[in-house]
């Protein structure tokens, strides 16, 4: 047990020592922003609602809004299932097509140049045409959940770029991602620490936040 606590402290320190990066150092014309699952079904209502996800709405909006005409792309993934979706064998029914749950939250809908891509799995990589990133140098990923949709998308995208010998930055600002918490079942704070560290180990660039 002592070893586990020591390793946990090291993992936490890894995150404490992450940098704050200045957005002015990025060429926004070659930067794509992905907003993952900030929809009604996770942030406002339904079986998978979490107040921790709801709390991401305002900071993500305040981050994106000043950049809406500067970023090359702003893409919002949102879970969109039908009643026969295989994913519903693993999760409670959520974000069914033609319901309010699968819609991106209203607060984000007035962001200019926002493109919405529905996805039928936890991994948005399989819902997009990766060729849309040909003219992109930086991919910034925000939203939820850290250990599921954020992790899978960021790590899969990084693995794809590695396979193709493509050198692009995948950046996850810690202050703009989170996961849900169910005590003794899905401990949110613990899973954030573990999966953020795993993203680091897989070559994803993790930062504390962007300064504007």
């Amino acid at each position: 047990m002592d070893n586990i606590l020591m390793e946990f402290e090291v993992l936490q320190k890894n995150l404490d020592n992450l940098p704050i990066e200045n957005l002015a150092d990025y060429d926004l014309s070659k930067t794509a922003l992905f907003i993952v699952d900030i929809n009604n079904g996770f942030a406002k209502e339904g079986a998978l609602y979490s107040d921790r996800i709801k709390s991401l709405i305002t900071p993500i909006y305040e981050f994106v809004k000043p950049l809406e005409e500067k970023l090359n792309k702003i893409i919002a993934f949102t879970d969109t299932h039908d009643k026969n979706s295989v994913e519903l064998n693993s999760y409670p029914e959520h974000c069914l097509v033609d319901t309010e749950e699968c819609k991106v939250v209203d607060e984000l809908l007035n962001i200019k140049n926002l493109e919405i891509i529905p996805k039928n799995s936890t991994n948005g990589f399989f819902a997009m045409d990766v060729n849309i990133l040909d003219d992109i140098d930086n991919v910034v990923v925000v939203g939820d959940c850290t250990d599921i949709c954020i992790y899978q998308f960021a790590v899969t995208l990084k693995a794809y770029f590695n396979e193709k010998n493509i050198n692009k930055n995948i950046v996850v600002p810690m202050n703009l991602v989170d996961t849900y918490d169910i005590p003794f079942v899905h401990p949110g704070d613990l899973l954030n620490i573990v999966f953020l560290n795993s993203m680091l180990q897989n070559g994803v660039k993790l930062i504390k936040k962007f300064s504007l």
Side-chain angles (χ1 to χ4, degrees), residues 42-59:
F42 297 135
K44 292 197 173 179
E45 63 185 72
L48 296 185
Y49 164 79
S50 167
D51 56 356
R52 292 169 63 128
I53 306 309
K54 182 178 182 179
S55 70
L56 289 172
I57 295 173
T58 297

Side-chain angles (χ1 to χ4, degrees), residues 95-190:
C95 297
L96 294 182
V97 66
D98 296 328
T99 67
E100 288 299 307
E101 284 192 22
C102 71
K103 295 178 182 178
V104 172
V105 297
D106 286 344
E107 291 88 337
L108 301 184
L109 292 180
N110 72 343
I111 294 171
K112 294 179 183 177
N113 303 316
L114 179 70
E115 177 186 355
I116 297 173
I117 298 179
K119 63 183 179 70
N120 188 43
S121 80
T122 49
N123 194 337
F125 179 85
F126 301 110
M128 62 179 263
D129 177 0
V130 74
N131 294 316
I132 66 174
L133 300 179
D134 285 352
D135 59 345
I136 296 297
D137 291 337
N138 309 296
V139 178
V140 178
V141 185
V142 304
D144 67 282
C145 287
T146 313
D147 54 316
I148 307 172
C149 300
I150 296 291
Y151 180 82
Q152 291 181 14
F153 176 62
V155 170
T156 304
L157 189 60
K158 178 59 178 172
Y160 172 84
F161 289 151
N162 288 351
E163 176 66 25
K164 303 296 182 182
N165 281 320
I166 298 170
N167 190 17
K168 297 180 188 286
N169 288 320
I170 302 172
V171 187
V172 174
M174 283 200 312
N175 67 315
L176 297 179
V177 298
D178 205 350
T179 192
Y180 63 97
D181 182 77
I182 301 175
F184 306 111
V185 175
H186 189 273
D189 292 341
L190 173 61

Side-chain angles (χ1 to χ4, degrees), residues 23 26-32 67 70-73 138:
L23 205 58
Y26 285 68
D27 182 348
L28 297 185
S29 70
K30 293 187 180 236
T31 299
L67 309 175
K70 298 176 183 178
L71 290 162
N72 185 294
K73 290 176 177 62
N138 309 296

